[in-house]
Amino acid sequence: MGLKQNGAAMAQPKILLTRIDDRFIYGQDVELWNEAVGSNLVLIVNDEIAADSRQWAPMRAAPEGVWTRFFSVQKAIDVIHSATPRQWILIMVASPTDALALVKGGVPITKISIGHMRAREGKRSATPAIAVDDTDIAAFKELQKLGIELEIRYLPSSAPDPIGNLFN
């Protein structure tokens, strides 16, 4: 049975996929993965983007019948259980720490697809498209300890890469 609020059982939200990919700001990745999983609600969960509506425009290009919402991590935690059974949800986050915060906050995520995490100062290349630092690795390890399935997948049509590549 789902969580309880005011004594009533709450339905589990239908989360089709949670994806870590910092390219969602361009909209392309959102479209590609949305089409692959068949969601009708895309949640872009990122504190910085949720606070700056000027960044939303490129991500608003969703197919007809698909809604895009921009939430802070806390707002996503607060409202996810009010999703209706008709909402098929794709969650997009930019970092493993955001994904971990969602899981710890009670968002029922069971699997995370890891895509692009750009290189920047303090990060080392784990794969050709993923750069991580110690904080990222700690978050990935904690997600695994919490029973979350992790996969590295660049495109919906590509085979997953070994997750061990993140920890080398």
Side-chain angles (χ1 to χ4, degrees):
M1 185 86 97
L3 297 175
K4 293 190 181 237
Q5 181 175 6
N6 299 329
M10 295 170 49
Q12 287 282 44
K14 186 167 184 150
I15 299 171
L16 303 177
L17 180 69
T18 300
R19 180 150 173 88
I20 299 170
D21 197 314
D22 60 15
R23 297 172 303 175
F24 63 70
I25 60 170
Y26 303 113
Q28 267 177 267
D29 202 57
V30 173
E31 271 186 62
L32 185 67
W33 285 92
N34 178 67
E35 186 177 303
V37 301
S39 63
N40 60 17
L41 175 60
V42 178
L43 296 182
I44 307 291
V45 181
N46 179 272
D47 291 344
E48 182 182 322
I49 289 174
D52 184 2
S53 62
R54 294 172 299 174
Q55 296 188 53
W56 300 359
M59 296 174 270
R60 284 232 182 249
E64 189 174 328
V66 177
W67 295 90
T68 304
R69 296 288 178 262
F70 303 90
F71 291 160
S72 67
V73 172
Q74 189 59 53
K75 171 125 180 160
I77 290 166
D78 292 344
V79 303
I80 194 70
H81 290 284
S82 63
T84 71
R86 295 182 311 272
Q87 291 175 312
W88 298 353
I89 304 168
L90 167 63
I91 298 175
M92 302 287 291
V93 297
S95 72
T97 52
D98 282 351
L100 179 60
L102 290 174
V103 170
K104 285 182 159 185
V107 177
I109 293 169
T110 58
K111 180 178 181 177
I112 297 173
S113 174
I114 305 157
H116 190 268
M117 293 171 58
R118 74 178 159 267
R120 56 184 146 214
E121 191 172 332
K123 298 210 177 221
R124 62 191 173 282
S125 182
T127 74
I130 299 174
V132 295
D133 59 19
D134 292 342
T135 302
D136 296 327
I137 290 172
F140 284 131
K141 287 181 177 181
E142 189 164 353
L143 285 162
Q144 283 184 315
K145 282 182 188 167
L146 292 169
I148 309 303
E149 179 186 348
L150 302 176
E151 72 168 16
I152 299 171
R153 190 180 297 254
Y154 303 112
L155 298 169
S157 59
S158 65
D161 280 355
I163 195 69
N165 290 349
L166 291 177
F167 307 119
N168 297 330

